[in-house]
Amino acid sequence: MFNFWVSLRQENKHLSFAWILLFIYLSPMFILGENAHIRVHDNLDSNIAWYKLMHDSEALFAPLNSTLPQIINGLPRNAFGTEFSGIQWLHQIFPTMLAYSLSQALVRIFAFIGFFLLLKKHFVKDEKNYAIRVWVSLAFALTPFWPSGMLSTLGMPLALWAFLNIRKGDSTWKEWITLILLPFYSSFVLGFFFFLFAMGILWLRDLIVKKQWNLHFFGSIALMVTMYLSIEYRLVYSLVFPEEPTSRNEFVSSKLEFWHTVRLVFKNYSIGHTHDMTLHTFVILPLSFIVVWKILKKQKGLDEKRYLNLFILNFVLSVWYAFWFYKGWEPLKERISLLNTFNFARFHFLRPLIIYLMFAVGSVILWRIGDRWRRLINICLILQILVLFAANPEVVYRYTNTPSVKQFYAVKQFDEIAHYIGKPKSSYRIASIGIHPAIAQYNGFYTLDTYNNYYPLSYKHQFRKIIAGELNKNSSLKTYFDEWGGRCYIFVDELGKNYEFNKDSKKKIKHLEININQFKKMGGEYFFSAVPILNHDENGLDFIKSFSNEESAWKIYLYRVKKE
């Protein structure tokens, strides 16, 4: 009993220190505000601008069949997802950067709590292993998750804790409330669909192996699925009552040759995916092979069997991810459209949970062997925390000279452009060259270009006529647009897939070839270009003025369609 209380006091000390480190990790965003540096890909270039657009357009509760005229002359409202998303409400209530920072804090706090509860109740129950529980939980909470996914991956431990308690018949109202509330701050298709599928497999395994129907466990899974389908009613409606083909109907995802696919298996296994980065490469991955080596040399108990199952599952998920893009799937995907429009490769969203469970269980296995191994585990825990702190967005994106939030959206500069044009923004349409259209969208301009999960296929075909000349020059851009098209951008052969030419860039476009008549036909009047277009006259454009601002990352060259 004395040892128990000693361990409890030590655990509380470690928890207090871990909470302090977590708040230190989060502090740059709150201290720097708009001067903070955060992720651009699938974040500043898209989702954050969408949240602001939804706020400014007052279209949050718009009808199912409504459209948003600010984007592509009428983007379906359903493309922006549900009004019951917690992150959208943060952006409804607070300024952009405060909403973003609060979301980061909420996700990481509940990730820490959820993983700690999961380990303490189900995987690392020995009181003497408090250090492993605390520091693996903190490490998991510091992983660089995709911001708009919210708790889609980092909330899985909390959900698993609730499900396992219900499965054991050891639950209270807390577990059921957890399963009801989590869907309001996570995504079904970008995380929990795959997690709930895994829970369904676990229930089915219990039915077959243990002959247990376990209706409480089944009911808890059904409850969470029902919550998601209710919250994501716009998505359900779009699937059940599709109005017209979308850009996703032309997706061609399975293109890889066999050996390229094999390389992707090991790349994903060792490095991970941009939407669920685990930063396991330098510490957890080598440790995992040491654990397997020790397990194979000794008798296998419950923890050893669990570890081997997690180890195998982790590799299988990387194999599944990579082979989803193997060209052998393509004939089947051509016949079954759902296989194209829904990305079943995303079972890899389970990997952060699995990898950090491996870290915890593997650490316990080595801890039991002796003092030398305990020292190794302590070193690994410290190193992993250091790796994650080094990957703090403020460190990474400042080091790589990524613009701050204020520099990226350049509100004052775009206000100056709007004032110079001097017309209501709804009365003309613009497109961007060399910068993301999300910047203009964030600043209230009506854009013909965009980056969205999906949009009408007919619009994609209309827009393609504008850039056909440039696509014909560059097979990579042509494939990128024709076989994906999520980025409906003014692609330029000379710029490639670079959409962030800052004001210090020396790049100039010498041979632009666009269909200006098609641009005009779609309502286009202005181009915001981050680089000068030397042959603008040949393309039916007049150079009007350039705009610079010390708070902006860009120099914008304003071009207008020649008047007839």
Side-chain angles (χ1 to χ4, degrees), residues 307-347:
Y307 189 87
L308 289 176
N309 288 335
L310 291 168
F311 185 88
I312 293 168
L313 179 58
N314 182 41
F315 185 72
V316 168
L317 289 175
S318 288
V319 172
W320 173 259
Y321 166 77
F323 272 88
W324 184 253
F325 303 105
Y326 174 54
K327 67 178 185 179
W329 278 99
E330 196 52 38
L332 184 61
K333 289 184 177 182
E334 288 177 356
R335 288 196 293 270
I336 305 175
S337 62
L338 180 63
L339 300 181
N340 258 333
T341 55
F342 188 83
N343 189 353
F344 286 95
R346 287 175 172 156
F347 277 98

Side-chain angles (χ1 to χ4, degrees), residues 195-249:
F195 177 82
L196 289 166
F197 182 88
M199 290 300 98
I201 295 296
L202 181 59
W203 176 83
L204 190 61
R205 179 256 181 199
D206 286 348
L207 178 61
I208 295 171
V209 176
K210 298 181 180 180
K211 310 299 181 185
Q212 295 178 353
W213 282 91
N214 201 337
L215 295 180
H216 279 90
F217 184 31
F218 179 83
S220 65
I221 298 170
L223 171 65
M224 200 172 197
V225 170
T226 302
M227 287 299 302
Y228 273 115
L229 294 181
S230 300
I231 290 169
E232 297 283 359
Y233 75 97
R234 292 182 183 272
L235 173 65
V236 174
Y237 178 85
S238 298
L239 291 173
V240 177
F241 305 105
E243 294 182 358
E244 60 177 318
T246 72
S247 55
R248 300 185 75 90
N249 288 90

Side-chain angles (χ1 to χ4, degrees), residues 17-18 21-22 25 112 131-132 134-143 279 283-284 356 359 377-392:
F17 187 38
L21 289 180
L22 178 57
Y25 181 93
F112 184 32
I132 295 171
V134 172
W135 296 109
V136 173
S137 298
L138 177 63
F140 177 80
L142 297 181
T143 55
L279 300 182
V283 178
I284 300 175
Y356 278 85
F359 190 22
I377 294 305
N378 284 329
I379 291 170
C380 287
L381 290 170
I382 293 170
L383 287 176
Q384 186 61 24
I385 296 296
L386 290 175
V387 166
L388 291 160
F389 258 84
N392 185 294

Side-chain angles (χ1 to χ4, degrees), residues 83 146 168 221 251 288 312 380 423 437 514 558 563:
E83 56 268 47
W146 175 51
K168 287 178 64 177
I221 298 170
F251 281 11
S288 70
I312 293 168
C380 287
K423 298 186 291 186
I514 58 171
L558 179 63
K563 295 182 179 179

Side-chain angles (χ1 to χ4, degrees), residues 72-128:
I72 64 170
N73 289 325
L75 180 72
R77 162 64 185 86
N78 293 347
F80 282 142
T82 180
E83 56 268 47
F84 300 112
S85 169
I87 196 170
Q88 178 65 63
W89 276 99
L90 284 178
H91 284 266
Q92 289 289 120
I93 298 169
F94 300 106
T96 293
M97 199 54 209
L98 179 57
Y100 183 87
S101 302
L102 289 171
S103 181
Q104 287 280 310
L106 283 170
V107 170
R108 296 192 186 282
I109 287 169
F110 281 99
F112 184 32
I113 293 171
F115 210 90
F116 181 79
L117 290 174
L118 178 64
L119 293 183
K120 193 173 182 70
K121 185 67 180 284
H122 296 285
F123 288 91
V124 185
K125 295 186 278 189
D126 193 327
E127 291 300 327
K128 292 180 292 186

